[in-house]
Amino acid sequence: MYQEIILDHYRSPHGAGLREPFDAESFQINPTCGDEITLRVKLDGDTVSDVSYETLGCSISQASASVLTDLVVGRSVEESMRVLTAFQEMAQGRGQVEPDEDVLGDGVAFAGVARYPARVKCALLGWMAFKDAVVRAPAADEKEHIDG
Amino acid sequence: MYQEIILDHYRSPHGAGLREPFDAESFQINPTCGDEITLRVKLDGDTVSDVSYETLGCSISQASASVLTDLVVGRSVEESMRVLTAFQEMAQGRGQVEPDEDVLGDGVAFAGVARYPARVKCALLGWMAFKDAVVRAPAADEKEHIDG
Amino acid sequence: MTALVEAPDVTAIRGDFPILSRTVRGGRPLVYLDSGATSQRPRQVLDAERSFLEQHNAAVHRGAHQLAEEATDAYESARARIAAFVGADPGEVVFVKNATEGVNLVAYAMSNAGVRTGLGPESERFALGPGDEIVITELEHHANLVPWQELCRRTGATLRWYSVTPDGRVDLDSIELSERTKLVAFAHQSNVLGTVLPVAELVRRAKAVGALTLLDACQSVPHMPVHFGNLGVDFAVFSGHKMLGPSGVGVLYGRAELLDAMPPFLTGGSMIELVRLEGSTYAPPPQRFEAGVPMTSQAVGLGAAVDYLTGIGMDVVHAQEARLTEATLAGLAGIPGVRVVGPTTMVDRGGAVAFVVEGVHAHDVGQVLDDRGVAVRVGHHCAWPLHRKFGVAATARASFHVYNTLDEVEALVEGVRAAREFFGVS
Amino acid sequence: MTALVEAPDVTAIRGDFPILSRTVRGGRPLVYLDSGATSQRPRQVLDAERSFLEQHNAAVHRGAHQLAEEATDAYESARARIAAFVGADPGEVVFVKNATEGVNLVAYAMSNAGVRTGLGPESERFALGPGDEIVITELEHHANLVPWQELCRRTGATLRWYSVTPDGRVDLDSIELSERTKLVAFAHQSNVLGTVLPVAELVRRAKAVGALTLLDACQSVPHMPVHFGNLGVDFAVFSGHKMLGPSGVGVLYGRAELLDAMPPFLTGGSMIELVRLEGSTYAPPPQRFEAGVPMTSQAVGLGAAVDYLTGIGMDVVHAQEARLTEATLAGLAGIPGVRVVGPTTMVDRGGAVAFVVEGVHAHDVGQVLDDRGVAVRVGHHCAWPLHRKFGVAATARASFHVYNTLDEVEALVEGVRAAREFFGVS
Ligand SMILES: Cc1ncc(COP(=O)(O)O)c(C=O)c1O
Ligand SMILES: Cc1ncc(COP(=O)(O)O)c(C=O)c1O
C-alpha cells in the first residue's frame, strides 16, 4: 500500500498550508479516527487557481491531499470533477478498477489503498473537502455580484 | 398430567360461583394466556369460613381452585397458608418434590403439573388469588371496628 | 393460486433443519406448528454464522486490520442482500435486535423530534403533540400497539384505531383519518387471524392526509414476496427469527429521505460524527441508528437465511404455506364445535390459523396436542385487544413455514379431535 | 500480584479458539490484540449456541409446548449463571443487545419517569428536569456519554464531568456533587487508558448526595472478578461480545428495588401485564425490560462463556492479562518516541495499552502492524473527548484476553519498531 510516490508526497506535501485569498473553505472529519482536513479553494473564473489545506491525519490522507493539488490546480472545475470521479472510482474499486495514469498522474499510486477498505476514507478525505468547497464557492456570476 | 382427580374437579368444581358475604376479593390474571380468576374470602375469626370464585381458565386452573376450597375452608388462616406453601412447593418443584397427601389431599394430583413449567402458573392462579385476598382481608380487630 | 407454483421438495428442505428430526414427550416425532412465534433454522444459517465466527469475527466499522475489514464486509454484504430481498436500498436497512425495537425506534425518534433543542428543521415532520393522532388497527400485535400508547403518553397525542369486523378484516370505515393524523401503523398480516391487510388502500388514505405509514411486516416478509418500495410504505419492521434466521436481529426499513431527516434513538459509539463533552453530532443513516457493537454474526446469519429463502423462492414458500393453511381450514371445519377465529377462506389470508374448541380451553387443547408431539401456541399471542374483541381469553394457533407437511396438518386435526374426546365434549 | 496466581495453560486455551489459528495478509499468523473492541469465542460457546438451536429452539416465555419449555429453561438458566458470575440475583439481570442499549435503557427510563401521566409515585425518584445534573467522567466511552447528553437534551438537565489528570486518573476534586446530582455514571476500567476507577469512592460520594450510580463494566467484567453487589452500584452494564460470548447480547444490572420501581423503556410483547387499546400495565422486572422475542441463543451462548471463564478462573484471567500488560508497557518503554497514553505502572490498571509514536500517525502504525499480522485498533476508540484532552486525534491500542501470549506482545513491540523504521523516524 505504501508506494514510494505516496511516501514522497507524505514527506514533502505539495501546496500544504492555508492561504488567502480563497472563495470557499471546507472542513471534513473522519468520524472513525478523528482525522481532519481544512481545505480552501480559489477559483479564477472557471479555473481552479489554488487549493490550500491543513490536515491532521495519516500518511495516506496527507499524501492524497498533496496529489490532489497537483491534479486539480490549473484545471477547469469540470475537468477537476472528472479527475475526482476517477480517483473515487479507483479508491472504492476494491482493487478491481484499473486506474488511468493519464487522468490520475501520481494518483495511481493509491490504487493499492483500494484493497484496504478502512483506509479508503483516508484517501478520499481531501477530495471530499475539495468537492464540498467547490459546491460552496459562489458561482462566477454571483461572485461578480458580491465583488461588485 | 390430567389425573382423573383433576378432571373430576374440572367437570364438577367445588365451591364455584361468587357468594356474599365476603371479607376480601382478589382478581388475578395470567398475562401469558389471559386466564382470569376472581376469588372471595370470608373469614370467621381466624377461620376461613368460605371461598367463592369465578374463573375464566383452563382445566388445570379450574380444578386447582376447586381443590383449594376443599383444602382451606374450615381451616385456620395459618394452617391454610401452610397448605398453600406445600402446594406451591410441589407445583414449582419440577417433579422433584414428593407431595404429602396428608397435607394436600386431592392436591397431590397436581404433582404431574410440576413437570410442565408453562402450566404451573395455571395451577397456582387460584392460590395466588387466595393469598392476596387473605392479605387484603381486614384483621379481626379492624373488622370489629368496621362492623361496629 | 396454489396450483400455479410448483411444490417445493419438502423432504429435502426438512433435511436442512436438524431440530425437525428430534422427538418430544417420550419419543413422539416433533410436529412444529409454531413458526409464527419463531421459526427453526437450517444448517446453512447455522454454518454461515459459525464460519463467520471461526474465520472473520471482529468489531465492524471500527478497525483497520484485516479481520475488521472482513467482518465489516460480511456485515454490509448481509445488509445489501437483505435490502434486495425486501425491495429496499442498503442504506434504508437498519439492523435492530427485533421488530419490537424497530417500532420503538420510530416511536422514540418521534418524541425525540419533539424536543427541538439542538435539532434542525428537517426533524420537524416527526414531532407531535396534544391534538395529534397516531392510528393503528384493533388486530395489532402488542409490539405495534404498546409503543404507540407510550408515545402518546410522552407527547399528549391520541391513539385511535380501525376496528376489526367479525370475519377478521379491518373495517376501513370505522374511523376517518385527519390532518392531525401523524402516523398510521398496521400489520401486513395478522399473527392471529392470518388476515392480509389492504396495504395499498391504507397507504393511500394515510398519504391523503400527509401521515407517515409504518408496516409491521413480521408475518409477511417470512412468508411471501414483499417489496417495500412498491408497497409505498414509509417504514417497515421485521424480525430475523421468524424467517429462518437468528434471534437477536431484525430490521427497520425506512425510506432514505426519512431516515436522513430523523433524529436518532439509541446513542453511543459508531452513530456519531463528532463528539465533544458539550455536545455531539450524528452520523448519516443507517449508522445513525446502530449505536454500539451490533449483532454482527446475527446479521450474517440473516443474510444466509435470505439466501436460503431466495434459493427456494418466496412464491414457492407462499404457495406451500397456502396449501397447508387450506388443508388446516378444511380439517378443522370438519370437527364439530371448532371455530376458526379469522377468515375461513383463502382470500387475502396467510398461514396462521387460530381457533377455539367449544368446551375445551385453549391451554387444554394445546396440552393434548403437545402430548402427541404437536407444538402449537396457546394464549392471546400478544394480541390481547383482538382476543377481547372476539370474546375469547385465549385461542390455539397453528402456524407454518415451508418445512411443514400435509401429514403434520393431519396430526393437528387428529389431535384436536382427541382433545374433544379427552374432555368429553364429542 | 501477577506472581500469586498460577498461569493458565494458554496453549490449551488457544486450541479452543478456531480463529486464532488462522493467518492473515499473505500467510502471517494472526496476532489478535483487539479484544477490547471485541473478543473471540471458544468452541464451547459456539457449540452451546448450536446445540441449543439444533435441539431446543423456540420462543421463550410464550409457549406451552415442550420445546418452548426447554428454551425458556435454557434462557433462564443462562440468566441465573450470568447473575451469579457478577454477584447479582437473577431478577437483577436484564438482557439487552449490548451495553450501549443498557445505558440508553436507564437514560430513557429516567426521561420516561418525568412524564408522570399513568405512572405511580415509585417512579418519581428517576425523574429529572432543569437544574438537575447527570455526572460522568472525561474518560467515558461514547456509550456512557452520548446517551446522557441526549437525556439532558430531553429533560433540560445539565451534564457535568470529573476531569482526567495527565497521568490518566479521574480527578475527584475537579467537581463537587450536589443535591441536584441525580446520577453518576462512570467506567469501571477505561477502554483507552486501562485505568481502573475508584468505584468505592465514587459510589460513596454519589450516595452522600442521594444520587444513583451506573457502572460501565464493559472492560471489567470480561477481565477480572467483579461483584456488583459488593461494589454497591445501582446499575451496571456489560456486553457479551467482549467476554468470549456472542454479539447481540449484553446485560443491564439493576438493584432489585430499583428495577421494581423503574418505568419501562422498550415496550411490546412479553413486557406487559394487561393490555387494552386504552392503556396497558407492565410486568415485573426483568420481563418489564425485555420486550419482544429476546436474543435467546445468544443468552445461552453468554451463559456458556461465563461457564468457560469460571472454568479458567477470573483471577487467573486477570493475572494473565496483567503479565501481558506489564510486558507491553516495558516493551514500548524501550522504544524512543513512543508515548503510552494512560498509567505506565500496573497500579490500578488493566490491560488496554494506548500509545502514540512520534512522527507516525496511529493509522500508519496500525497499518504496518496489520501487514505483519498484528491486529490492534487505531483511532479514538469511541472516547473522543479523552483523546482531545490528551491532545491527540488518534492512538493505537493493544488490548488482551486470556488467550494472548508474551510472544504476541513481542510481535507488537517489534512491529512498532518496524513502523518507526519504515517511516524514517528512528
Ligand atoms: C468502556 C466501554 N463502554 C461501552 C462500550 C460499548 O459496548 P457495546 O458497543 O458492546 O455496546 C465499550 C465497547 O465498545 C467499552 O469499551
Ligand atoms: C405481527 C407481529 N408483530 C410483531 C411481532 C414482534 O416481533 P419480535 O418479538 O421479534 O420483536 C410479532 C411476533 O412476535 C408479530 O407476529
Side-chain angles (χ1 to χ4, degrees):
Chain A
M1 179 166 106
Y2 294 114
Q3 303 275 324
E4 211 40 59
I5 303 181
I6 293 182
L7 293 174
D8 286 347
H9 276 276
Y10 166 58
R11 293 196 193 103
S12 333
H14 305 177
L18 291 174
R19 284 181 294 280
E20 313 251 356
F22 62 96
D23 291 313
E25 181 176 295
S26 172
F27 173 75
Q28 296 290 321
I29 196 147
N30 182 342
T32 38
C33 63
D35 284 0
E36 302 174 354
I37 191 165
T38 306
L39 182 144
R40 293 175 176 177
V41 168
K42 171 88 191 109
L43 300 181
D44 194 358
D46 193 37
T47 304
V48 180
S49 60
D50 192 29
V51 170
S52 69
Y53 60 90
E54 205 168 82
T55 99
L56 185 68
C58 63
S59 59
I60 300 297
S61 68
Q62 294 198 36
S64 168
S66 169
V67 167
L68 162 78
T69 62
D70 285 0
L71 288 173
V72 302
V73 173
R75 293 234 165 127
S76 74
V77 168
E78 207 187 315
E79 277 169 359
S80 72
M81 284 299 147
R82 264 202 297 277
V83 179
L84 182 148
T85 305
F87 189 89
Q88 191 169 358
E89 273 170 12
M90 172 190 69
Q92 294 175 339
R94 306 235 136 186
Q96 306 301 309
V97 175
E98 197 56 57
D100 182 345
E101 189 156 1
D102 290 347
V103 178
L104 289 174
D106 279 4
V108 297
F110 290 83
V113 176
R115 277 180 290 107
Y116 295 83
R119 305 304 297 277
V120 170
K121 275 190 193 162
C122 310
L124 289 177
L125 194 65
W127 293 85
M128 293 303 107
F130 175 68
K131 192 175 179 178
D132 184 49
V134 167
V135 169
R136 286 160 186 260
D141 45 348
E142 284 179 58
K143 211 161 101 186
E144 273 156 36
H145 200 71
I146 295 167
D147 293 353
Chain B
M1 182 166 103
Y2 294 114
Q3 303 275 324
E4 211 39 61
I5 303 181
I6 293 182
L7 293 174
D8 286 347
H9 276 276
Y10 166 58
R11 293 196 193 101
S12 335
H14 305 178
L18 290 174
R19 286 181 293 279
E20 312 251 356
F22 62 98
D23 291 312
E25 180 177 293
S26 172
F27 173 74
Q28 296 290 321
I29 197 149
N30 182 343
T32 38
C33 62
D35 283 359
E36 301 175 356
I37 190 165
T38 305
L39 182 144
R40 293 175 176 177
V41 168
K42 171 87 191 110
L43 299 182
D44 193 358
D46 193 39
T47 304
V48 179
S49 60
D50 191 29
V51 170
S52 68
Y53 59 91
E54 206 168 80
T55 99
L56 185 69
C58 64
S59 59
I60 300 296
S61 67
Q62 294 198 37
S64 169
S66 168
V67 167
L68 162 78
T69 63
D70 284 1
L71 288 172
V72 302
V73 173
R75 292 235 165 124
S76 73
V77 168
E78 208 187 314
E79 278 170 0
S80 72
M81 285 299 146
R82 264 203 296 278
V83 179
L84 182 149
T85 304
F87 189 88
Q88 190 169 358
E89 273 169 13
M90 174 191 68
Q92 295 174 338
R94 307 235 135 184
Q96 306 302 308
V97 176
E98 196 55 59
D100 181 346
E101 188 155 3
D102 290 348
V103 179
L104 290 175
D106 280 3
V108 297
F110 290 84
V113 176
R115 278 181 288 108
Y116 295 81
R119 306 303 297 276
V120 170
K121 275 190 194 161
C122 310
L124 288 177
L125 193 67
W127 292 85
M128 292 305 107
F130 174 67
K131 191 175 180 178
D132 183 49
V134 168
V135 169
R136 286 159 186 263
D141 44 349
E142 284 180 59
K143 208 162 104 188
E144 271 156 37
H145 201 71
I146 295 169
D147 290 354
Chain C
M1 179 192 120
T2 50
L4 296 178
V5 179
E6 92 187 281
D9 180 349
V10 178
T11 311
I13 289 172
R14 289 179 71 86
D16 292 332
F17 292 78
I19 203 171
L20 295 183
S21 55
R22 76 162 272 186
T23 58
V24 290
R25 301 290 181 220
R28 291 164 193 282
L30 170 66
V31 175
Y32 188 73
L33 300 181
D34 196 17
S35 294
T38 203
S39 64
Q40 299 300 343
R41 274 147 244 186
R43 254 183 255 287
Q44 287 82 342
V45 167
L46 302 176
D47 288 348
E49 242 194 290
R50 182 138 189 163
S51 89
F52 171 81
L53 291 170
E54 293 191 346
Q55 295 294 326
H56 313 291
N57 181 50
V60 299
H61 286 301
R62 288 169 180 238
H65 53 75
Q66 183 176 344
L67 287 192
E69 285 171 2
E70 292 175 2
T72 305
D73 280 355
Y75 181 69
E76 291 303 330
S77 151
R79 191 199 303 277
R81 278 139 57 218
I82 294 162
F85 185 70
V86 292
D89 286 337
E92 297 179 321
V93 162
V94 174
F95 285 121
V96 288
K97 69 175 177 179
N98 53 22
T100 302
E101 184 193 340
V103 177
N104 278 272
L105 193 165
V106 176
Y108 273 105
M110 289 179 80
S111 53
N112 287 347
V115 183
R116 291 171 176 84
T117 327
L119 295 182
E122 74 284 357
S123 61
E124 193 56 35
R125 66 195 292 186
F126 300 101
L128 75 173
D132 290 330
E133 296 170 359
I134 300 288
V135 169
I136 60 170
T137 85
E138 204 176 5
L139 59 69
E140 297 309 316
H141 188 281
H142 295 165
N144 200 23
L145 157 56
V146 189
W148 306 118
Q149 290 179 333
E150 287 290 311
L151 172 61
C152 291
R153 195 182 76 80
R154 290 196 298 276
T155 58
T158 304
L159 185 69
R160 299 176 64 215
W161 49 87
Y162 286 105
S163 62
V164 167
T165 63
D167 57 336
R169 304 286 175 185
V170 170
D171 181 355
L172 290 172
D173 298 327
S174 53
I175 57 168
E176 290 275 322
L177 305 183
S178 81
E179 309 284 279
R180 300 305 298 265
T181 310
K182 287 283 175 175
L183 180 130
V184 184
F186 50 93
H188 197 170
Q189 177 176 314
S190 161
N191 67 315
V192 178
L193 309 170
T195 314
V196 174
L197 276 70
V199 178
E201 181 58 18
L202 283 159
V203 167
R204 198 189 62 71
R205 291 180 184 219
K207 281 207 173 130
V209 297
L212 295 168
T213 49
L214 182 142
L215 185 72
D216 175 355
C218 278
Q219 297 290 348
S220 58
V221 166
H223 303 295
M224 60 170 92
V226 173
H227 192 292
F228 292 142
N230 291 351
L231 288 174
V233 292
D234 292 315
F235 297 103
V237 299
F238 58 96
S239 281
H241 67 90
K242 293 189 200 278
M243 53 192 290
L244 318 187
S247 60
V249 63
V251 165
L252 167 71
Y253 159 85
R255 285 200 299 111
E257 174 223 347
L258 291 170
L259 290 187
D260 225 43
M262 198 164 76
F265 166 46
L266 298 177
T267 59
S270 301
M271 56 69 66
I272 52 86
E273 189 180 61
L274 196 81
V275 179
R276 297 180 186 280
L277 285 165
E278 296 75 13
S280 305
T281 57
Y282 316 127
Q287 274 70 38
R288 187 188 304 157
F289 303 102
E290 294 182 357
V293 170
M295 49 298 282
T296 324
S297 68
Q298 292 80 17
V300 170
L302 184 53
V306 155
D307 295 343
Y308 185 84
L309 287 168
T310 306
I312 297 176
M314 285 309 294
D315 49 347
V316 174
V317 170
H318 189 229
Q320 171 68 1
E321 291 194 37
R323 263 176 224 110
L324 300 165
T325 307
E326 213 163 4
T328 306
L329 291 172
L332 293 179
I335 310 175
V338 172
R339 173 162 71 101
V340 167
V341 178
T344 50
T345 71
M346 291 304 295
V347 180
D348 290 336
R349 190 196 205 297
V353 183
F355 58 95
V356 290
V357 180
E358 208 181 300
V360 189
H361 188 278
H363 256 187
D364 292 318
V365 174
Q367 193 76 55
V368 172
L369 289 171
D370 179 44
D371 279 339
R372 301 164 71 94
V374 180
V376 299
R377 190 162 165 204
V378 296
H380 51 60
H381 322 303
C382 298
W384 209 333
L386 178 67
H387 277 73
R388 226 176 259 116
K389 170 72 164 216
F390 280 90
V392 291
T395 55
R397 179 192 69 181
S399 55
F400 311 106
H401 216 296
V402 65
Y403 41 62
N404 288 121
T405 66
L406 290 171
D407 285 348
E408 293 183 308
V409 170
E410 192 45 40
L412 166 73
V413 173
E414 275 314 304
V416 175
R417 282 189 209 282
R420 291 185 78 241
E421 257 159 52
F422 184 80
F423 285 96
V425 296
S426 59
Chain D
M1 179 194 123
T2 51
L4 295 178
V5 180
E6 91 187 282
D9 181 348
V10 178
T11 311
I13 288 173
R14 289 179 70 85
D16 291 333
F17 291 78
I19 204 171
L20 295 182
S21 54
R22 75 162 272 186
T23 58
V24 290
R25 299 292 180 219
R28 292 165 192 283
L30 170 67
V31 176
Y32 188 73
L33 300 181
D34 196 17
S35 294
T38 202
S39 64
Q40 299 300 343
R41 271 148 247 184
R43 256 183 254 286
Q44 287 81 344
V45 168
L46 302 176
D47 288 349
E49 241 192 291
R50 182 139 189 163
S51 88
F52 171 80
L53 290 169
E54 293 190 346
Q55 295 293 327
H56 313 292
N57 181 52
V60 300
H61 286 301
R62 285 167 183 240
H65 53 75
Q66 183 176 345
L67 286 192
E69 286 171 2
E70 292 176 1
T72 305
D73 280 355
Y75 181 69
E76 291 303 331
S77 152
R79 192 199 304 276
R81 279 140 55 220
I82 294 162
F85 185 71
V86 292
D89 285 338
E92 297 179 320
V93 162
V94 175
F95 286 121
V96 288
K97 68 175 177 179
N98 54 21
T100 302
E101 184 192 340
V103 177
N104 278 274
L105 194 165
V106 176
Y108 274 104
M110 290 179 80
S111 53
N112 287 348
V115 183
R116 291 170 176 83
T117 327
L119 295 182
E122 74 285 357
S123 62
E124 192 57 33
R125 65 194 293 186
F126 300 101
L128 75 174
D132 290 331
E133 295 170 0
I134 300 288
V135 169
I136 60 170
T137 86
E138 204 176 3
L139 59 69
E140 297 308 314
H141 187 282
H142 295 165
N144 200 23
L145 158 55
V146 189
W148 306 118
Q149 290 180 333
E150 288 289 310
L151 172 62
C152 290
R153 193 181 77 80
R154 290 196 298 276
T155 58
T158 303
L159 185 69
R160 298 177 64 216
W161 49 88
Y162 286 105
S163 62
V164 167
T165 64
D167 58 335
R169 304 287 175 185
V170 170
D171 181 355
L172 289 172
D173 298 327
S174 53
I175 56 167
E176 290 275 321
L177 306 183
S178 81
E179 309 284 278
R180 301 305 297 266
T181 311
K182 286 284 174 174
L183 179 131
V184 184
F186 50 93
H188 197 170
Q189 177 176 314
S190 161
N191 67 315
V192 178
L193 309 169
T195 314
V196 174
L197 276 70
V199 177
E201 182 58 19
L202 283 159
V203 167
R204 198 189 60 72
R205 291 180 185 219
K207 281 206 173 132
V209 298
L212 296 168
T213 50
L214 182 142
L215 185 71
D216 175 355
C218 278
Q219 297 290 346
S220 58
V221 165
H223 304 295
M224 60 171 92
V226 173
H227 193 292
F228 293 141
N230 291 351
L231 289 174
V233 292
D234 292 315
F235 297 103
V237 298
F238 58 94
S239 281
H241 67 89
K242 293 188 201 278
M243 53 192 287
L244 317 187
S247 60
V249 63
V251 166
L252 167 72
Y253 159 85
R255 284 200 300 111
E257 175 223 346
L258 291 170
L259 289 188
D260 226 43
M262 199 163 76
F265 165 46
L266 298 178
T267 59
S270 301
M271 56 70 65
I272 53 85
E273 191 180 60
L274 197 80
V275 179
R276 297 180 188 278
L277 285 166
E278 297 75 13
S280 305
T281 56
Y282 317 128
Q287 275 70 38
R288 186 189 305 156
F289 304 102
E290 296 182 356
V293 170
M295 48 298 283
T296 324
S297 69
Q298 293 80 15
V300 169
L302 185 53
V306 155
D307 295 343
Y308 186 84
L309 288 168
T310 306
I312 297 175
M314 285 310 292
D315 49 347
V316 174
V317 171
H318 189 228
Q320 170 67 2
E321 291 195 36
R323 263 175 223 110
L324 299 165
T325 307
E326 214 163 3
T328 306
L329 291 172
L332 293 178
I335 309 175
V338 172
R339 174 164 70 101
V340 166
V341 178
T344 50
T345 72
M346 292 304 295
V347 181
D348 290 336
R349 191 198 204 296
V353 183
F355 58 95
V356 290
V357 180
E358 208 181 300
V360 190
H361 188 280
H363 256 186
D364 293 318
V365 174
Q367 193 77 54
V368 171
L369 288 171
D370 179 42
D371 279 338
R372 302 165 70 95
V374 180
V376 300
R377 190 163 165 204
V378 296
H380 50 60
H381 320 304
C382 299
W384 208 334
L386 179 67
H387 277 73
R388 225 176 260 119
K389 169 72 165 216
F390 279 91
V392 290
T395 55
R397 179 192 70 181
S399 56
F400 311 105
H401 217 295
V402 65
Y403 41 62
N404 289 121
T405 67
L406 290 171
D407 286 348
E408 292 183 308
V409 169
E410 192 46 40
L412 166 73
V413 172
E414 276 314 304
V416 175
R417 280 189 209 283
R420 291 185 77 243
E421 258 159 52
F422 185 80
F423 285 96
V425 296
S426 59

